[in-house]
Each structure stands twice: as C-alpha cells, then as structure tokens.
Amino acid sequence: MKISVVGAINYDHITTFKGEEKEGLGGILYNVLALSNVLGDDNQICPVSRVGKDHIGKVREMLSKYPNIDLNATVLSLKGTNENILVYTASDKRKEVLKSRIDPIRPEELEPYLDSDVILFNFISGFEIPLETIKRVRERSKAFLLMDIHCKVLGIKKDGTRFKKPLTDFPDWVKCVDLVQTNEEEIDLMVDRELKTEGDFLKAGEEILEKGPKYVLITFGVNGSLLMRREKEEIFYFRCPSIKIERIVDTTGCGDAFTAGFISGFLHWEDPILATALGSVVSGLNCEAPGMEGFKKAKGARERIEEFFPGLIKKVRDGYKGEKYA
C-alpha cells in the first residue's frame, strides 16, 4: 500500500505545561513516523512537503532509519522551514506563534502520488495546501482522501500569533474528501457555534456529511471519539471510548497517532468502525512514551484490538454499522 501525507514540516520550539523547554522537527513528521511504525515495512509512506536547507539534511537523516518512508517526497524550500513557537498553558491548551516560510503545495507536485491508496491532507499551518490542489487530486486520483482540519481554523496576525477563526467556507473543502477529521474545538469553528452536548456534535457531524464526505471523525482526547458515516440516505454513528493505560507520559502527537491507527485499520479491515477503534488503541499507546518515541509503542497495535475492544470485530462482521442517527 502507498500512503501519502501532505502538509508542512515545522521546526517547533515547545514549552510544556510543566515548564520544560524542547525543540525539534514536527508537523506532518508526526503522522509519517506514526504510520511507519503502525503499518510496517511492506507499505510505502510519502511525506509530501518542503523543508529549508538548514533542516532538510536532518529530516532525511531522521526518515532514513525507516525503510518504508520515501525520502524523495520531501523537497527543498528556498525560503526556509516553517518555525512554530508553542507554549502550553494546560496539558491540551496552548498559545502559538508561526513564522511561515514555505509556499503552498501546487497540484503538479502531487502528480507522482496520485496512485496512492490513501492521501492525507493535514493542515499544519492552515494554508500550505490550496483548495485547487485538493480539487485536482479528487478529480484525478482514486485514493481514499482524508482531511485533518487541524490549523485550518486558525488565522494569523502580522507578528505570527495564531488565533481561532471560523471556517465559514468549510463546505468547499470537505466535499473534496472522503473523511474529515476534527477535534471538539475545531468542529465548533467549522459550524461557527459552541457545541456542548452529544446531540450538538451529532447535529454538526450531520451538517458536514450533507456537504459531501462519507465520514466525519471527531476526537475528544481522553473522552474518546465519535465516528459518523453516511450510507445513501441513512446516517450511523459509533461512539468509541479511549483505551485505559497505566500511566500517561506525554500526549504529544496523540491526534496524529490516532489518524495513523485509523488509516492502518481502514486499509486492513476496510471498515471505519474497526479503524476508529484501532485509532484509539494507537493513540493511547502513544501516551506511554515521550515525544515521537511513543510511536514505537504502536508496533503490533492491530493484533491487540481484541484486548481493548473484545468482540468488536465479530460484531462488525455480523453487520454492525453503528447506531442509527434519527
């Protein structure tokens, strides 16, 4: 299988909630390394991105340790690497300042990756992937297309400070893909209203599904996730809990780990419910080690799905599509 990940690679300067200072390469590298560990060496992962000359050697050195990653997919940016300053004010809250340097990814740059089985568009800066690029991919590729809304709901001031911004044109974006992934705060900004109850999130998911995608996946951190699926005139939903782990070491990259688990599960079972459950497993295991080291915990995660979700595989094979949304 061939999986392409499209988006920016950042150089991050991070101040953790505990006051620790860290820095290093990030952005879509979290997706890529998570996928590499979850999927194994019989698959190809292509990080379609740009990096400045001061970091491209380090990126290739990092990725060269993984034989299933295409080193040619990331090319040189003459303007440099995006730099991101992240200051966490809580374990899941942060302030962000971005120094954006890379140009938007053009449609022709994705030409070698149109034969992918899965293409993930992850908005790390929010403006590195133009709508026209995604439209062209939709027209010319048979790949399963995922969109992680991520920073698409963030604006940027002249000094680089990020701020929350409603995604009022979300119908134009989501109709181009098969699955839209968002967290509980991002979906508020998509539909431009505060969502509080389970019913609120289901209604918002329905609104997104009406614009064209087959699936909407909402993550709630330790509170699990919500999958919604459209089949002809019917909508089903599956509320997936997070897995219980003994000790949380670091939540960095959990959303990216979740996406990697989902992609792995979807390719293996061709079912979104089992894929969502595997996303929960991979995301949870990722918390057991710091930083990108957590992705190594994901190896063999697929074989452990019965441990965390006993009987779910049989239930799905017996025809379970989720609960029907009235």
Side-chain angles (χ1 to χ4, degrees), residues 2-4 114 116-121 137-138 141-147 176-180 214-215 262-263 266-267 272:
K2 183 175 179 179
I3 301 92
S4 294
L114 296 178
S116 298
D117 297 281
V118 175
I119 299 176
L120 166 63
F121 299 105
V137 171
R138 176 78 290 173
S141 176
K142 295 180 180 179
F144 184 83
L145 303 185
L146 292 87
M147 177 184 291
C176 300
V177 298
D178 298 297
L179 182 144
V180 176
K214 298 175 184 176
Y215 310 104
F262 182 94
I263 291 172
F266 196 84
L267 289 172

Side-chain angles (χ1 to χ4, degrees), residues 25-202:
L25 292 158
I28 67 165
L29 288 180
Y30 284 95
N31 293 117
V32 171
L33 295 180
L35 282 164
S36 178
N37 282 283
V38 175
L39 289 171
D41 293 347
D42 54 344
N43 298 277
Q44 183 183 28
I45 297 106
C46 307
V48 184
S49 190
R50 297 198 193 100
V51 183
K53 63 181 181 180
D54 48 345
H55 294 115
I56 195 164
K58 181 65 175 177
V59 169
R60 289 177 174 165
E61 178 187 353
M62 177 189 296
L63 300 184
S64 66
K65 300 173 184 177
Y66 302 86
N68 56 358
I69 296 178
D70 179 2
L71 300 181
N72 297 313
T74 299
V75 298
L76 179 66
S77 165
L78 297 178
K79 295 183 178 180
T81 305
N82 281 2
E83 285 193 69
N84 215 19
I85 300 170
L86 303 166
V87 179
Y88 281 83
T89 56
S91 60
D92 59 348
K93 307 287 184 184
R94 68 193 188 194
K95 295 180 179 179
E96 187 171 345
V97 177
L98 175 69
K99 296 179 181 178
S100 181
R101 297 189 176 103
I102 69 166
D103 291 325
I105 297 169
R106 301 183 302 273
E108 55 269 26
E109 293 179 72
L110 284 166
E111 189 73 28
Y113 309 101
L114 296 178
D115 62 343
S116 298
D117 297 281
V118 175
I119 299 176
L120 166 63
F121 299 105
N122 189 355
F123 289 100
I124 301 299
S125 70
F127 31 81
E128 71 268 50
I129 314 167
L131 180 57
E132 181 58 32
T133 294
I134 297 176
K135 284 181 177 179
R136 286 275 296 275
V137 171
R138 176 78 290 173
E139 291 168 359
R140 303 187 60 195
S141 176
K142 295 180 180 179
F144 184 83
L145 303 185
L146 292 87
M147 177 184 291
D148 189 338
I149 292 297
H150 209 179
C151 291
K152 191 67 190 165
V153 294
L154 292 183
I156 186 167
K157 298 179 181 179
K158 288 184 178 180
D159 65 357
T161 301
R162 308 305 303 266
F163 61 92
K164 294 179 181 179
K165 180 181 179 183
L167 185 60
T168 54
D169 62 344
F170 83 84
D172 296 332
W173 295 85
V174 303
K175 69 181 180 182
C176 300
V177 298
D178 298 297
L179 182 144
V180 176
Q181 181 174 330
T182 173
N183 66 28
E184 58 191 304
E185 292 184 347
E186 294 158 1
I187 194 169
D188 282 20
L189 294 162
M190 290 182 72
V191 298
D192 199 15
R193 64 179 184 272
E194 186 178 8
L195 307 176
K196 294 181 178 179
T197 67
E198 186 93 344
D200 291 341
F201 286 102
L202 287 167

Side-chain angles (χ1 to χ4, degrees), residues 256-314:
D256 304 302
F258 187 101
T259 307
F262 182 94
I263 291 172
S264 174
F266 196 84
L267 289 172
H268 182 72
W269 289 297
E270 298 183 352
D271 179 82
I273 289 177
L274 294 176
T276 301
L278 186 59
S280 184
V281 173
V282 173
S283 179
L285 295 176
N286 173 71
C287 294
E288 294 183 333
M292 294 186 184
E293 287 297 309
F295 298 142
K296 295 177 182 178
K297 295 278 186 178
K299 290 183 177 180
R302 197 172 66 206
E303 287 69 33
R304 298 183 63 185
I305 193 166
E306 280 288 340
E307 174 187 340
F308 296 103
F309 295 95
L312 185 60
I313 293 176
K314 182 180 186 304

